[in-house]
Amino acid sequence: MAKKKEDVVDTAKAVTNKVVKAVKEKVAQVTNDDVTKEAVEAVKDATEKVAKAVKQAVETMTEDYVTAKIPEGPLADKWNNYKAHQKLVNPANKRRLDVIVVGTGLAGASAAASLGELGFNVLNFCIQDSPRRAHSIAAQGGINAAKNYQNDGDSVYRLFYDTIKGGDYRAREANVYRLAEVSNSIIDQCVAQGVPFAREYGGLLDNRSFGGAQVSRTFYAKGQTGQQLLLGAYSALSRQIHKGTVKMYTRYEMLDVVVVDGRARGIITRNLVTGKIERFFAHAVVVGTGGYGNTFFLSTNAMASNGSAAVQMYKKGAYFANPCFAQIHPTCIPVHGEFQSKLTLMSESLRNDGRIWVPKKKEDAEAIRAGKKKPTEIPDEDRDFYLERRYPAFGNLVPRDVASRAAKERCDAGFGVNNTGLAVYLDFKYAIERLGRDVVEARYGNLFQMYDKIVDENPYETPMMIFPAIHYTMGGIWVDYELQTSVKGLFCIGEANFSDHGANRLGASALMQGLADGYFVLPYTIQNYLADQIQVPRMSTELKEFVEAEKAINDKIDKLMSIQGTRSVDSIHRELGLVMWDFVGMARTAEGLRTALKRILEVKKIFWTEVFIPGSRNDLNVELEKALRLADFLEIGELMARDGLNREESCGGHFREEYQTPEGEALRQDDKFSYVSCWKYQGEGQEPKLLKEKLEYEFVARQTRNYKA
């Protein structure tokens, strides 16, 4: 929460006085004893600290900032200390408390199941017809944990460090360590649920490598890891539904959060089958609705994945953090036509055994693009394995942002393949020669089958073609250490929040975060909030706050339905997506981001004056659903461009062309931008206010990321 300026001034004074006292002591030492070189250096050092403290105090007094309520103490003790001193709710009182959980993916389903098991009354809202259809099902490659089964040097600290480094030192230190700390418990939980992880010949769980790590820590179930984990969470959730602790609402979409006296007390939803607007009360609201990648129209996300819940929270006082941090996944099937509605992800796990290359000679690339040559006709000596060449220590397993930019650079230089020139090869010829086709098929068979069905080429015989695409969003709603937003009683979990991945998420860490938040973090932290809510009676949804929220939604729907223009929702969304990809995509510039802000406002005007929505509002109406979400995507697109323009540096998935090393790598500005950008809504048509959460690193030293050695 933003601190009062008087508190900041008092803190600054105290810090400055403390350092001044230290300087006086050093000066006294110099004047009383023989003047030594060490004493002089000590005085210099102390004086520099005074100057730095005063500078920081002045900066702090002139800008608002937020604090995350991170526990004191050593990094490895913070979470245990928190759990040891948190407030609890006894079993009898839990039955008196209602909790709304929005979302039934890995984060939402695991949270609803866990809270139901604890004894709370849980209302769980699912946008699909079943939790089994949540987009978590699409995650293929695996889930990280620091079990160190291979005895290859892994540890909780190494998982923590790889995640911090992979996020380009823009994640909150304490949250990332907690994530690594609980990762091992996730695997135990899922095995107990019957998740069929791959096993070695001797029966132990198998692991494979993923980008940004030099150890094997990724647990997997063929290329269906997300599906199997979701089935595990769904089974736990179904048990609670049967017991009556969880009530499931399928085909419901949250359209607003209701705030009463500064606390989240419920939500407004639309029944997607009947069109009915309904109100629901709870003592606390938990949102786990995923990311906002579909702002770009073409992404790897399911069509129903959207950022609307995030925008609703943002407009009710929750900060939107780091919106410009969006991930471009390097291993996607390239765009194949202008009528395409989504892109397909090929698992990062394929980079374990597949080698990425483009032709060394431009004439070969041109011949392939013209259909005059096949990739199998290019001899090894004429293939540029560019990731292995540039990053010898990590090779094809560099982090996603690094691999994506490298692919773009090769294609921009004229070495791309496919008829568009916007693709590179992912080749399994070498793995098949080394391991045999049966081993490759056992590891990746369902992925190869999927590629064959989409592209109509056999990847066992012809290299796959891949190209980067929008995938995951590291930005999201700001939460503190307890996963609570800046609105009391409103919690945000999984991809919907910003907390764990910094500027770039490492592969196989999304499933880890979703389950960590739902199974092992939120069940503790939400009790700390609910402990003093036991005496709060269940509120009537006839309160003016509920009535006003519903009226605002009805007015918005009426306005959309009355436009009756000539443009379909998808055509306008595609227009927004092109602006986002061209100017807020893999490479950004100040000029391009300013252009994006201007163009987004133009698209926004088109949407609110020319959109056509057929059908009725009081019925199943997919076009109305899409229109409501597009209205929110327009808000998110503007926030992303604004945040990218403010962050004058390159880090992770945010690459400003003005800020790069001579080798073309991301160039951070730690002295200026080592903070979380927290955007606060100021009202319709008003520029949002930028607040900052300073990222203080006590236990790791920031370094320029190096994946070459």
Side-chain angles (χ1 to χ4, degrees):
M1 299 293 290
K3 283 192 173 182
K4 292 181 180 178
K5 188 167 287 188
E6 310 88 77
D7 296 336
V8 175
V9 173
D10 290 344
T11 303
K13 284 180 179 177
V15 171
T16 305
N17 291 337
K18 188 175 181 180
V19 181
V20 168
K21 183 180 178 183
V23 171
K24 288 180 178 178
E25 290 174 355
K26 292 296 180 185
V27 171
Q29 179 185 343
V30 171
T31 53
N32 293 336
D33 304 335
D34 292 335
V35 177
T36 63
K37 184 179 179 181
E38 291 78 8
V40 172
E41 289 300 319
V43 171
K44 282 183 179 179
D45 180 57
T47 306
E48 286 173 3
K49 286 180 179 177
V50 170
K52 184 179 179 182
V54 172
K55 182 184 176 185
Q56 288 178 341
V58 171
E59 286 177 353
T60 304
M61 283 186 280
T62 56
E63 65 183 15
D64 290 319
Y65 67 98
V66 297
T67 55
K69 297 193 293 188
I70 298 170
E72 297 292 332
L75 186 64
D77 296 339
K78 289 182 185 294
W79 181 230
N80 284 333
N81 287 343
Y82 175 89
K83 290 189 292 184
H85 298 96
Q86 66 163 105
K87 298 174 185 175
L88 296 173
V89 181
N90 78 47
N93 284 334
K94 285 171 185 163
R95 293 192 291 271
R96 297 163 55 187
L97 294 168
D98 300 337
V99 180
I100 284 174
V101 178
V102 185
T104 53
L106 283 181
S110 60
S114 300
L115 295 175
E117 179 70 32
L118 286 171
F120 293 103
N121 295 309
V122 180
L123 290 72
N124 196 192
F125 293 84
C126 174
I127 198 171
Q128 303 283 7
D129 54 5
S130 167
R132 290 174 296 175
R133 293 176 62 84
H135 189 55
S136 299
I137 201 172
Q140 301 159 340
I143 177 171
N144 288 331
K147 286 286 194 182
N148 194 30
Y149 283 164
Q150 272 67 28
N151 198 27
D152 57 358
D154 202 8
S155 65
V156 167
Y157 185 86
R158 188 173 291 275
L159 173 54
F160 153 74
Y161 179 75
D162 286 346
T163 306
I164 284 280
K165 176 183 175 183
D168 217 350
Y169 303 94
R170 290 294 177 263
R172 187 189 292 151
E173 201 177 44
N175 283 61
V176 178
Y177 192 89
R178 177 175 64 186
L179 177 65
E181 195 175 358
V182 304
S183 66
N184 293 336
S185 298
I186 297 170
I187 303 304
D188 297 339
Q189 170 91 355
C190 294
V191 169
Q193 290 173 341
V195 173
F197 287 119
R199 294 181 180 268
E200 295 177 333
Y201 180 77
L204 296 176
L205 298 185
D206 198 9
N207 289 123
R208 54 191 178 201
S209 298
F210 257 61
Q214 291 179 306
V215 296
S216 294
R217 64 162 66 103
T218 304
F219 295 79
Y220 65 97
K222 269 196 171 182
Q224 308 167 356
T225 313
Q227 179 181 10
Q228 298 302 328
L229 291 172
L230 186 62
L231 289 173
Y234 176 66
S235 67
L237 179 59
S238 296
R239 180 171 179 268
Q240 297 308 313
I241 294 171
H242 179 72
K243 288 176 63 178
T245 61
V246 176
K247 186 172 183 180
M248 176 62 62
Y249 294 85
T250 56
R251 299 291 286 141
Y252 274 73
E253 183 168 14
M254 169 180 155
L255 295 185
D256 203 359
V257 59
V258 180
V259 177
V260 180
D261 295 331
R263 296 177 186 263
R265 292 301 191 193
I267 62 173
I268 309 295
T269 67
R270 181 171 182 268
N271 184 318
L272 298 179
V273 177
T274 67
K276 183 181 179 183
I277 306 298
E278 300 181 36
R279 313 168 192 170
F280 296 90
F281 162 81
H283 292 89
V285 176
V286 180
V287 176
T289 51
Y292 48 90
N294 272 344
T295 303
F296 288 75
F297 186 67
L298 284 180
S299 81
T300 65
N301 290 268
M303 296 297 288
S305 298
N306 64 83
S308 285
V311 172
Q312 293 148 25
M313 290 187 283
Y314 164 67
K315 289 189 172 181
K316 284 298 177 73
Y319 308 143
F320 207 125
N322 296 337
C324 77
F325 288 165
Q327 183 166 82
I328 315 288
H329 198 294
T331 319
C332 301
I333 296 178
V335 176
H336 63 260
E338 62 179 276
F339 298 107
Q340 199 167 347
S341 59
K342 76 175 298 292
L343 296 172
T344 303
L345 172 70
M346 299 305 296
S347 171
E348 183 177 315
S349 63
L350 294 169
R351 290 200 274 149
N352 268 282
D353 292 309
R355 298 180 71 188
I356 296 173
W357 63 275
V358 292
K360 281 183 181 177
K361 302 174 182 175
K362 276 192 179 179
E363 54 265 33
D364 284 343
E366 290 165 356
I368 288 172
R369 291 198 293 268
K372 297 177 181 178
K373 228 175 194 179
K374 295 181 178 178
T376 51
E377 296 173 5
I378 308 294
D380 284 7
E381 59 269 21
D382 290 336
R383 298 181 176 192
D384 178 15
F385 300 94
Y386 58 88
L387 289 178
E388 298 171 34
R389 169 171 57 82
R390 294 183 187 179
Y391 308 100
F394 284 74
N396 294 298
L397 288 174
V398 292
R400 292 172 176 178
D401 62 309
V402 177
S404 293
R405 283 196 296 274
K408 181 181 186 296
E409 185 278 327
R410 286 291 79 195
C411 292
D412 288 349
F415 295 93
V417 296
N418 202 3
N419 58 345
T420 62
L422 297 176
V424 300
Y425 288 124
L426 178 61
D427 200 337
F428 282 83
K429 179 186 84 166
Y430 309 95
I432 291 171
E433 290 173 353
R434 177 169 50 90
L435 302 169
R437 174 170 168 159
D438 57 334
V439 174
V440 172
E441 192 168 353
R443 291 178 180 176
Y444 312 111
N446 62 310
L447 300 173
F448 279 41
Q449 183 184 39
M450 182 172 70
Y451 181 88
D452 193 354
K453 285 184 178 295
I454 294 171
V455 182
D456 196 25
E457 282 188 355
N458 185 344
Y460 293 103
E461 299 170 1
T462 303
M464 288 183 181
M465 286 185 294
I466 58 170
F467 193 69
I470 286 289
H471 177 53
Y472 187 92
T473 49
M474 286 75 64
I477 294 300
W478 182 88
V479 292
D480 61 20
Y481 188 76
E482 296 183 316
L483 304 183
Q484 187 170 205
T485 72
S486 46
V487 177
K488 289 183 179 180
L490 181 59
F491 294 78
C492 192
I493 58 177
E495 187 183 356
N497 75 32
F498 89 101
S499 66
D500 292 356
H501 305 296
N504 172 65
R505 176 177 67 78
L506 293 184
S509 288
L511 305 184
M512 176 174 63
Q513 187 211 346
L515 292 180
D517 286 357
Y519 283 140
F520 297 107
V521 180
L522 183 75
Y524 288 96
T525 62
I526 199 169
Q527 288 194 70
N528 206 45
Y529 169 76
L530 290 171
D532 64 358
Q533 297 296 297
I534 299 162
Q535 300 301 321
V536 176
R538 291 185 172 96
M539 297 178 184
S540 168
T541 56
E542 296 301 320
L543 286 173
K544 66 179 179 63
E545 289 85 355
F546 282 89
V547 174
E548 289 170 358
E550 181 178 335
K551 182 180 183 302
I553 289 168
N554 283 321
D555 290 347
K556 183 177 182 180
I557 292 174
D558 288 341
K559 183 177 179 181
L560 285 170
M561 295 298 296
S562 68
I563 296 170
Q564 294 295 293
T566 59
R567 295 285 302 273
S568 70
V569 177
D570 282 348
S571 72
I572 301 173
H573 194 174
R574 182 184 295 277
E575 195 170 331
L576 171 65
L578 289 172
V579 172
M580 296 299 295
W581 182 253
D582 289 344
F583 301 109
V584 199
M586 253 193 292
R588 303 161 179 178
T589 64
E591 182 183 359
L593 290 163
R594 290 190 188 98
T595 300
L597 284 168
K598 181 182 176 183
R599 294 276 300 277
I600 290 167
L601 289 177
E602 292 170 357
V603 177
K604 193 174 185 179
K605 183 178 179 181
I606 291 170
F607 172 74
W608 285 104
T609 58
E610 298 183 32
V611 73
F612 172 72
I613 303 172
S616 165
R617 58 164 291 163
N618 299 316
D619 204 347
L620 190 151
N621 191 333
V622 175
E623 290 302 304
L624 175 57
E625 293 173 34
K626 291 193 295 186
L628 288 166
R629 295 166 197 161
L630 178 53
D632 294 327
F633 284 138
L634 287 161
E635 303 285 344
I636 292 172
E638 188 177 345
L639 269 177
M640 291 182 72
R642 191 178 300 280
D643 189 41
L645 187 61
N646 169 74
R647 192 170 284 276
E648 295 177 338
E649 66 167 352
S650 291
C651 56
H654 170 64
F655 191 77
R656 285 279 297 267
E657 291 183 357
E658 307 97 316
Y659 304 97
Q660 54 183 302
T661 67
E663 296 81 25
E665 303 295 340
L667 183 63
R668 297 196 318 269
Q669 303 279 348
D670 288 337
D671 58 330
K672 298 177 181 177
F673 296 99
S674 186
Y675 60 73
V676 179
S677 304
C678 303
W679 296 94
K680 182 180 180 181
Y681 183 66
Q682 296 289 88
E684 192 68 33
Q686 303 296 312
E687 287 192 9
K689 183 178 182 180
L690 175 61
L691 309 177
K692 300 175 183 179
E693 179 200 334
K694 290 186 178 180
L695 293 173
E696 304 287 355
Y697 280 22
E698 297 180 66
F699 303 95
V700 294
R702 291 187 183 89
Q703 301 173 4
T704 299
R705 285 193 306 172
N706 177 18
Y707 294 100
K708 297 181 179 182

